[in-house]
Amino acid sequence: MAVSSSYQAIYEAVARVPRGRVATYGDIAAVAGLPGRARQVGYALHRSPPGLPWHRILRADGRIALPADSTAALTQRRRLEDEGVTFLGGRVDLDRYRWLQES
DNA sequence: CGGTTGACTTTCG
DNA sequence: GCGAAAGCCAACC
């Protein structure tokens, strides 16, 4: 469908991630129709859009994109664990939780 | 209006 | 596993 702005696509792509699953910035960018613009995805989330479950978005290595000691990072981790996602050494098993946009 | 910055990714040594 | 470099582009100053 048409996009009034690229951010709209990013927001919807993030919103599509099912509960208990995670996605990388690159994946979201690809799903949103912005291949190679993973940075812009991160930037869009940094802007903290309203009602966006940004906590399901992780970096390509399965780590949180924010400093581990930051409040936002701790909140994100707590929310994911609450959804059933387990953190191993500050990291998530992408082979198991990465959302592949299969449905 | 030009330069810097950044919730990124990937490749190379 | 880690550091450096390059590609990307919107927001900020």
PDB file of all heavy atoms in Angstrom, chain A residues 1-9 11-12:
ATOM      1  N   MET A   1       0.820  -1.199   0.000  1.00  0.00           N
ATOM      2  CA  MET A   1       0.000   0.000   0.000  1.00  0.00           C
ATOM      3  C   MET A   1       0.845   1.235   0.000  1.00  0.00           C
ATOM      4  O   MET A   1       2.022   1.238   0.280  1.00  0.00           O
ATOM      5  CB  MET A   1      -0.906   0.002   1.190  1.00  0.00           C
ATOM      6  CG  MET A   1      -0.090  -0.255   2.262  1.00  0.00           C
ATOM      7  SD  MET A   1       0.183  -0.696   3.715  1.00  0.00           S
ATOM      8  CE  MET A   1       1.732  -0.137   3.990  1.00  0.00           C
ATOM      9  N   ALA A   2       0.208   2.297  -0.330  1.00  0.00           N
ATOM     10  CA  ALA A   2       0.992   3.512  -0.487  1.00  0.00           C
ATOM     11  C   ALA A   2       1.543   3.990   0.860  1.00  0.00           C
ATOM     12  O   ALA A   2       0.962   3.749   1.897  1.00  0.00           O
ATOM     13  CB  ALA A   2       0.108   4.601  -1.100  1.00  0.00           C
ATOM     14  N   VAL A   3       2.646   4.651   0.782  1.00  0.00           N
ATOM     15  CA  VAL A   3       3.265   5.156   2.010  1.00  0.00           C
ATOM     16  C   VAL A   3       3.340   6.667   1.965  1.00  0.00           C
ATOM     17  O   VAL A   3       3.900   7.243   1.047  1.00  0.00           O
ATOM     18  CB  VAL A   3       4.680   4.590   2.197  1.00  0.00           C
ATOM     19  CG1 VAL A   3       4.598   3.156   2.621  1.00  0.00           C
ATOM     20  CG2 VAL A   3       5.479   4.732   0.909  1.00  0.00           C
ATOM     21  N   SER A   4       2.745   7.278   2.960  1.00  0.00           N
ATOM     22  CA  SER A   4       2.833   8.733   3.016  1.00  0.00           C
ATOM     23  C   SER A   4       4.260   9.123   3.379  1.00  0.00           C
ATOM     24  O   SER A   4       4.776  10.099   2.908  1.00  0.00           O
ATOM     25  CB  SER A   4       1.852   9.278   4.045  1.00  0.00           C
ATOM     26  OG  SER A   4       1.844   8.451   5.178  1.00  0.00           O
ATOM     27  N   SER A   5       4.913   8.275   4.193  1.00  0.00           N
ATOM     28  CA  SER A   5       6.310   8.512   4.524  1.00  0.00           C
ATOM     29  C   SER A   5       6.978   7.171   4.812  1.00  0.00           C
ATOM     30  O   SER A   5       6.326   6.213   5.194  1.00  0.00           O
ATOM     31  CB  SER A   5       6.414   9.434   5.738  1.00  0.00           C
ATOM     32  OG  SER A   5       6.047   8.738   6.897  1.00  0.00           O
ATOM     33  N   SER A   6       8.259   7.091   4.607  1.00  0.00           N
ATOM     34  CA  SER A   6       8.973   5.836   4.831  1.00  0.00           C
ATOM     35  C   SER A   6       8.838   5.383   6.273  1.00  0.00           C
ATOM     36  O   SER A   6       8.828   4.192   6.559  1.00  0.00           O
ATOM     37  CB  SER A   6      10.444   6.034   4.496  1.00  0.00           C
ATOM     38  OG  SER A   6      10.575   6.546   3.179  1.00  0.00           O
ATOM     39  N   TYR A   7       8.712   6.301   7.155  1.00  0.00           N
ATOM     40  CA  TYR A   7       8.596   5.955   8.562  1.00  0.00           C
ATOM     41  C   TYR A   7       7.323   5.165   8.815  1.00  0.00           C
ATOM     42  O   TYR A   7       7.290   4.272   9.652  1.00  0.00           O
ATOM     43  CB  TYR A   7       8.621   7.221   9.418  1.00  0.00           C
ATOM     44  CG  TYR A   7      10.019   7.766   9.579  1.00  0.00           C
ATOM     45  CD1 TYR A   7      10.981   7.546   8.593  1.00  0.00           C
ATOM     46  CD2 TYR A   7      10.377   8.469  10.718  1.00  0.00           C
ATOM     47  CE1 TYR A   7      12.259   8.035   8.747  1.00  0.00           C
ATOM     48  CE2 TYR A   7      11.658   8.954  10.879  1.00  0.00           C
ATOM     49  CZ  TYR A   7      12.597   8.736   9.887  1.00  0.00           C
ATOM     50  OH  TYR A   7      13.863   9.210  10.044  1.00  0.00           O
ATOM     51  N   GLN A   8       6.279   5.511   8.109  1.00  0.00           N
ATOM     52  CA  GLN A   8       5.022   4.791   8.277  1.00  0.00           C
ATOM     53  C   GLN A   8       5.241   3.306   8.027  1.00  0.00           C
ATOM     54  O   GLN A   8       4.754   2.464   8.764  1.00  0.00           O
ATOM     55  CB  GLN A   8       3.990   5.346   7.299  1.00  0.00           C
ATOM     56  CG  GLN A   8       2.634   4.668   7.417  1.00  0.00           C
ATOM     57  CD  GLN A   8       1.962   4.996   8.731  1.00  0.00           C
ATOM     58  OE1 GLN A   8       1.975   6.134   9.169  1.00  0.00           O
ATOM     59  NE2 GLN A   8       1.374   4.008   9.380  1.00  0.00           N
ATOM     60  N   ALA A   9       5.988   2.982   6.991  1.00  0.00           N
ATOM     61  CA  ALA A   9       6.273   1.583   6.660  1.00  0.00           C
ATOM     62  C   ALA A   9       7.098   0.938   7.770  1.00  0.00           C
ATOM     63  O   ALA A   9       6.879  -0.214   8.122  1.00  0.00           O
ATOM     64  CB  ALA A   9       7.021   1.528   5.328  1.00  0.00           C
ATOM     65  N   TYR A  11       7.101   1.750  10.936  1.00  0.00           N
ATOM     66  CA  TYR A  11       6.236   1.545  12.087  1.00  0.00           C
ATOM     67  C   TYR A  11       5.381   0.304  11.898  1.00  0.00           C
ATOM     68  O   TYR A  11       5.213  -0.498  12.821  1.00  0.00           O
ATOM     69  CB  TYR A  11       5.321   2.759  12.288  1.00  0.00           C
ATOM     70  CG  TYR A  11       6.084   4.055  12.480  1.00  0.00           C
ATOM     71  CD1 TYR A  11       5.529   5.268  12.098  1.00  0.00           C
ATOM     72  CD2 TYR A  11       7.349   4.039  13.060  1.00  0.00           C
ATOM     73  CE1 TYR A  11       6.217   6.454  12.270  1.00  0.00           C
ATOM     74  CE2 TYR A  11       8.038   5.217  13.233  1.00  0.00           C
ATOM     75  CZ  TYR A  11       7.477   6.430  12.840  1.00  0.00           C
ATOM     76  OH  TYR A  11       8.155   7.604  13.012  1.00  0.00           O
ATOM     77  N   GLU A  12       4.837   0.133  10.716  1.00  0.00           N
ATOM     78  CA  GLU A  12       3.981  -1.020  10.461  1.00  0.00           C
ATOM     79  C   GLU A  12       4.776  -2.312  10.464  1.00  0.00           C
ATOM     80  O   GLU A  12       4.307  -3.338  10.931  1.00  0.00           O
ATOM     81  CB  GLU A  12       3.258  -0.829   9.128  1.00  0.00           C
ATOM     82  CG  GLU A  12       2.238   0.293   9.226  1.00  0.00           C
ATOM     83  CD  GLU A  12       1.378   0.378   7.968  1.00  0.00           C
ATOM     84  OE1 GLU A  12       1.324  -0.606   7.222  1.00  0.00           O
ATOM     85  OE2 GLU A  12       0.764   1.435   7.750  1.00  0.00           O
TER      86      GLU A  12
END
